[in-house]
Amino acid sequence: MALLLSTFPSLAVSFSYLFMIEIYIVALLLAVVAVYVTVRMKFGFILGSILISISLGCYQSYIGVAAALCLLYLIKMVLDKKDTKEIVLMVGKLLAMGIVGIILYFIILKIILSIKGVTLSNYKGANEMGIPPLGQWPSLLYRTYLHFIGYFIGQSFFKATSFYSWVRILTILSSSLLGIYIVVNKKLYKNKVNFMLLILFIILMPLVVNIVDFVAYNTELSTLNIYQFVIPFILCIVLLENSTLNGKNFKKIIGIIECVSVLTLTLVGWDNFITTNRYYMKVYSFCNYTYSFNTRLLARIEETPGFSYDMPVMIVGEEESEFYEMLYDITPWNDVINYDQALWGRYVGYEDLYFFENDAKIIRIIGNTLGVDLQIASFDVKEKILETNEFENMEVWPSKDAVKIIDDVLVIKM
C-alpha cells in the first residue's frame, strides 16, 4: 500500500508547484482526517465537516480523495458483514460530513469575498464548480466514466505502455475474481439489502473517484487533480486481505489469483515509480532549458544600446512565431502525461505570454535565478507601446531586431 500511495504520479505533479505544495499536502491530510474522525467518532461528522471545508478552502480537488475514501470504507463494511442498519447510518454520517462541509465552505468563501470586495477567479472553472445543469448530466457522466476507464487502459492522464495497461487491467480482473469469491465464500448475497448496496457502491466507484471531473463541468481535469485514482488499487488490497483471511474453498485457485494480484499491484507501483521519475526528469530538464534561455535573454537585454536597469521592460508573445512553435514542442515528453497542467511549454513562464498576455512571471524568474531585478512595465505603458508603429514593425525572436527600446521602454517581441 505504501508503494502505491507514495509513488502515484500526481504527487510528483504537485511538487512542480513548490510555492503551493505545503497547501496541497495540508488539503490532502485534512480530507483524509475528515473521513477518519467521521468514521471513528460518534458525532465525528461535525468535526469532519469543518475539516473538509478547510480542505476545500486549500484546494478543491481533494474532495475526490475524501469521497473515494468514504466509498472504500462502505464497501469494506459490506465485506465485513456489518449490519445493514449500521451501514445505512454510516452512509448518513458520511453524507452529512460532506454536505455540511461543502455548505460551510461556500458560506465562508462568500463572506471572505464580500469582505475583500473581489470575485472568485474563473481559473480552471473554479468559480463554477458545483452541481452542473441537468441537461449536461448525460455528457458529463459519460466523460467522468470514460476518463476513469481511460486511466486504467493508459489513455487518460498518465500514459502507459501496452504492457502496463494490461497490468492494470489484470489487476482489476484478478481483484474482481477475488471479490466474487468473497461474496460467495461469505454468502454475502443472502443479505439482499447489503448485496444490493455492494453492487451500487461498485457502480458508483468511477463517479465518486472522478467526482471532480463531474462537478468542474466547464473545464478539463488534469493530472494534478487525480490523486484519488489510487483508491481503487487500495480496494484491490482490501479484497486481497479479505480473500486471504476468509478463504476455505478452492485454496489453490484462489492462491494463484492472489499471487497474480500481488504481482500486478507491485508492477503498478513500479510503473508509478518510473512515471514519477520521468516526470521529475522533465521538470529538471525544463528548469535547465528555462535557465539557459533566460541567461541568453538577459544578455540580449543588457547589450541593447541605451538600456539601464531602471528602465521598464515588457515582453510580448506573438503567436505563430518560431519561438511559439519551439516553446510547445515537447515531443520527448508527450508519452509521459496527457495533460500536464504544470508544464505547458519547455520554457517555464513563457506560456503566460500567450494565454494571459502577462510577462511578470518571466521577469521575476530572471530576478530570482539570475539576480538581476528588471522593472516590469505597467499595463498602461504596455497599452501605449502596443499601439505604436515601431512595435508593429518589430521582428520576432530570435531576430536581432526583436529587442528594441521604444519610448524609454525595453520591448521584446517573441
Side-chain angles (χ1 to χ4, degrees):
M1 186 183 296
L3 173 66
L4 294 169
L5 291 172
S6 61
T7 62
F8 197 77
S10 284
L11 284 179
V13 179
S14 299
F15 275 94
S16 64
Y17 290 85
L18 285 178
F19 61 97
M20 285 289 292
I21 186 60
E22 295 93 344
I23 295 175
Y24 290 156
I25 297 302
V26 169
L28 175 59
L29 175 64
L30 291 174
V32 174
V33 175
V35 178
Y36 179 81
V37 297
T38 301
V39 167
R40 293 295 181 182
M41 299 169 61
K42 186 175 182 180
F43 297 102
F45 71 91
I46 298 174
L47 177 57
S49 63
I50 295 172
L51 294 175
I52 206 69
S53 67
I54 300 173
S55 176
L56 284 166
C58 292
Y59 195 58
Q60 295 171 338
S61 289
Y62 290 116
I63 188 66
V65 174
L69 284 173
C70 290
L71 190 62
L72 176 64
Y73 187 77
L74 293 172
I75 292 174
K76 189 176 185 301
M77 289 184 74
V78 176
L79 296 179
D80 291 341
K81 303 183 75 171
K82 298 294 184 181
D83 183 69
T84 302
K85 184 179 178 181
E86 186 179 350
I87 296 173
V88 173
L89 181 61
M90 183 56 66
V91 170
K93 286 179 65 177
L94 293 171
L95 282 175
M97 178 268 293
I99 293 171
V100 173
I102 292 170
I103 292 173
L104 184 60
Y105 160 70
F106 277 112
I107 290 174
I108 296 172
L109 179 65
K110 291 291 185 182
I111 293 173
I112 293 174
L113 291 177
S114 178
I115 293 172
K116 295 293 185 179
V118 296
T119 58
L120 194 63
S121 169
N122 63 355
Y123 176 70
K124 298 286 291 177
N127 62 331
E128 294 183 342
M129 283 189 71
I131 300 175
L134 194 60
Q136 295 186 32
W137 280 40
S139 60
L140 286 172
L141 286 171
Y142 174 77
R143 182 180 81 170
T144 300
Y145 277 77
L146 183 66
H147 284 172
F148 179 85
I149 296 170
Y151 166 76
F152 288 96
I153 60 175
Q155 297 300 313
S156 298
F157 307 117
F158 299 104
K159 295 186 179 181
T161 63
S162 58
F163 173 76
Y164 283 109
S165 295
W166 279 108
V167 166
R168 294 179 187 177
I169 294 170
L170 192 56
T171 302
I172 300 302
L173 289 176
S174 61
S175 297
S176 299
L177 291 174
L178 292 177
I180 294 171
Y181 172 72
I182 293 167
V183 169
V184 174
N185 189 58
K186 286 188 169 186
K187 297 181 174 57
L188 297 178
Y189 53 85
K190 287 191 173 182
N191 187 328
K192 290 183 173 57
V193 177
N194 280 13
F195 185 59
M196 292 302 295
L197 283 173
L198 179 61
I199 294 174
L200 177 63
F201 294 154
I202 293 171
I203 292 173
L204 289 176
M205 175 67 78
L207 175 61
V208 173
V209 170
N210 200 20
I211 189 64
V212 180
D213 212 0
F214 184 76
V215 297
Y217 51 92
N218 279 335
T219 188
E220 286 286 334
L221 207 61
S222 79
T223 51
L224 180 64
N225 314 122
I226 65 160
Y227 185 71
Q228 60 271 18
F229 274 60
V230 74
I231 302 299
F233 294 115
I234 307 305
L235 174 59
C236 294
I237 295 175
V238 171
L239 294 171
L240 183 62
E241 289 178 341
N242 269 266
S243 66
T244 302
L245 293 173
N246 298 283
K248 294 180 180 179
N249 304 315
F250 309 105
K251 285 188 176 180
K252 288 185 178 180
I253 297 175
I254 296 303
I256 293 172
I257 297 174
E258 288 172 348
C259 289
V260 170
S261 186
V262 170
L263 176 61
T264 55
L265 283 169
T266 303
L267 287 173
V268 167
W270 176 251
D271 183 40
N272 288 343
F273 175 79
I274 295 298
T275 301
T276 292
N277 279 278
R278 291 181 69 191
Y279 186 75
Y280 282 137
M281 177 57 71
K282 178 182 179 181
V283 173
Y284 175 77
S285 298
F286 280 28
C287 285
N288 283 339
Y289 298 161
T290 305
Y291 183 85
S292 175
F293 184 80
N294 283 344
T295 301
R296 302 199 308 271
L297 180 65
L298 179 60
R300 184 84 71 90
I301 291 172
E302 293 175 329
E303 290 170 356
T304 303
F307 169 75
S308 63
Y309 291 109
D310 59 353
M311 178 179 291
V313 175
M314 63 178 285
I315 308 172
V316 182
E318 186 79 13
E319 290 193 25
E320 309 303 328
S321 66
E322 185 179 353
F323 177 79
Y324 180 86
E325 293 176 1
M326 182 171 59
L327 173 66
Y328 291 105
D329 180 14
I330 54 174
T331 305
W333 310 101
N334 282 339
D335 60 342
V336 180
I337 290 177
N338 274 342
Y339 177 23
D340 184 359
Q341 180 179 333
L343 299 174
W344 298 345
R346 63 171 62 200
Y347 303 121
V348 179
Y350 285 84
E351 63 274 2
D352 283 16
L353 296 177
Y354 307 97
F355 281 90
F356 308 114
E357 297 181 355
N358 191 335
D359 57 3
K361 185 184 292 185
I362 303 168
I363 294 174
R364 291 194 178 105
I365 290 175
I366 290 174
N368 292 335
T369 58
L370 300 178
V372 178
D373 295 322
L374 301 174
Q375 306 303 312
I376 302 174
S378 67
F379 178 80
D380 291 337
V381 169
K382 290 178 182 178
E383 286 291 301
K384 291 178 181 178
I385 297 296
L386 292 175
E387 293 174 358
T388 64
N389 290 329
E390 285 184 274
F391 174 79
E392 286 293 328
N393 295 327
M394 283 182 67
E395 295 186 16
V396 181
W397 188 276
S399 169
K400 65 177 181 179
D401 294 323
V403 181
K404 191 173 185 179
I405 295 177
I406 303 175
D407 295 338
D408 294 324
V409 177
L410 188 130
V411 183
I412 305 166
K413 195 172 186 179
M414 304 195 123

